[in-house]
Amino acid sequence: MPPAQRKSRSRKYDPATVRGALNAEVRAVREAVAVMCAAGDAPQLLEAPTRLQGWSVRQLIVHIAMGLETLPRLLAERPAPARAELDLQGYLRSMRGRSGDIAIAGTAVVEEDALPDEGGPQTVVARLDSAAERLAAALAEMDGRTVVTTRFGAMTVDDFLVTRLLETVVHGDDLTAATGAAIGHERQALAAVTRLLADALAAEAPGGSVEVRIPPFAVVQCVEGPRHTRGTPPNVVETDPMTWIRLATGRMSWDAALDAAEVSASGERADLSAQLPLLGRP
């Protein structure tokens, strides 16, 4: 059965919480971009490279805008599907199945030459603001049970909004890495993205021999082998939410995280280098 069609047991996310978290994340990114683009060296910053191979800061910001515009565009498409065929874990499995085409942890596959490499700072700000306003207008009117056709299959708006949260958090971190712009990630946004990617690990490497702890948001068991039932697990991996997100999306390697003491791993099976990243490398 194709990845997009396999049954999975996706965690449910409270729609109101997801919408509030997405609004907060978008606002934080917009504020950071506005401050950056008001600086005297903004033209040079827009040309700076990012950790997404071949992409400048300008192209990254425009891609963020394009990601925000995806839902309003899908809602405008008619006829709408009759029912959803894809849940969140099915969506992530489809992304992994296309990892050769996906160079970023997002949902839109964009050719590099489709991203503009011209336009001054205020043009970039206006592009992002327009996309955010289009999304906000759509959020104010949409029913979360509405089904839209994504590039991987039909899914509900409520589920698709979680993928927008994933993309906004990850690309916000990409922007910080490239420019030093301080983006304060909203707590519920980090919680949702952390849990989404932790569940993806458990689905990708099912088992009970390793316990992965990402306090305060998630604990999952994974990897085939003896299942732990009582006491302290023999194989434990622990890290913080942002490090986990970077590991899962290929922004940080397993070895680099260990060397920097940003992840702890105890036990002979507590090596996730074979399972990570879960999504395509940048």
Side-chain angles (χ1 to χ4, degrees):
M1 183 178 292
Q5 303 296 320
R6 281 205 314 256
K7 295 293 184 182
S8 63
R9 299 177 62 185
S10 287
R11 186 191 301 262
K12 298 299 182 183
Y13 296 84
D14 178 67
T17 300
V18 170
R19 293 186 187 211
L22 181 57
N23 284 332
E25 280 294 308
V26 171
R27 182 168 58 251
V29 171
R30 289 176 71 181
E31 290 172 354
V33 169
V35 169
M36 184 191 76
C37 287
D41 60 348
Q44 292 74 33
L45 280 174
L46 289 176
E47 301 305 320
T50 69
R51 59 190 179 190
L52 304 179
Q53 186 174 5
W55 285 29
S56 66
V57 169
R58 174 190 285 104
Q59 291 172 319
L60 172 60
I61 295 169
V62 171
H63 178 74
I64 294 172
M66 293 171 69
L68 300 180
E69 292 168 340
T70 303
L71 185 55
R73 175 177 57 79
L74 294 178
L75 287 167
E77 294 178 354
R78 292 292 184 270
R83 61 183 180 84
E85 60 186 10
L86 201 61
D87 62 14
L88 280 166
Q89 287 305 317
Y91 191 93
L92 293 189
R93 281 197 299 271
S94 295
M95 289 179 67
R96 290 197 294 274
R98 295 288 300 276
S99 61
D101 298 329
I102 298 173
I104 53 176
T107 55
V109 176
V110 181
E111 297 296 335
E112 184 178 340
D113 59 9
L115 294 170
D117 56 9
E118 297 179 352
Q122 293 313 306
T123 300
V124 173
V125 171
R127 180 74 168 82
L128 181 60
D129 287 348
S130 174
E133 289 161 8
R134 285 187 62 192
L135 177 61
L139 285 173
E141 299 179 358
M142 73 178 68
D143 183 338
R145 296 166 297 181
T146 300
V147 179
V148 292
T149 303
T150 75
R151 69 185 313 270
F152 298 129
M155 66 193 306
T156 65
V157 164
D158 281 342
D159 279 348
F160 190 67
L161 284 173
V162 180
T163 75
R164 300 301 84 201
L165 195 54
L166 167 66
E167 180 155 323
T168 306
V169 168
V170 173
H171 285 327
D173 189 53
D174 289 334
L175 188 62
T176 295
T179 67
I183 296 177
H185 297 288
E186 202 271 343
R187 178 181 172 86
Q188 292 301 325
L190 284 182
V193 174
T194 297
R195 291 165 182 157
L196 180 66
L197 294 172
D199 290 347
L201 172 64
E204 178 73 4
S209 68
V210 180
E211 184 166 286
V212 179
R213 301 171 179 173
I214 313 158
F217 300 133
V219 177
V220 296
Q221 292 192 349
C222 60
V223 182
E224 291 183 350
R227 179 175 290 276
H228 165 72
T229 56
R230 297 180 61 187
T232 302
N235 303 286
V236 176
V237 172
E238 185 166 334
T239 189
D240 64 274
M242 206 65 240
T243 298
W244 168 244
I245 291 168
R246 291 167 186 153
L247 285 167
T249 60
R251 271 60 183 174
M252 176 179 283
S253 72
W254 177 256
D255 288 343
L258 285 176
D259 289 345
E262 294 185 7
V263 61
S264 64
S266 60
E268 62 181 15
R269 294 176 180 269
D271 182 345
L272 299 182
S273 59
Q275 285 77 35
L276 299 172
L278 297 169
L279 304 181
R281 298 179 186 275

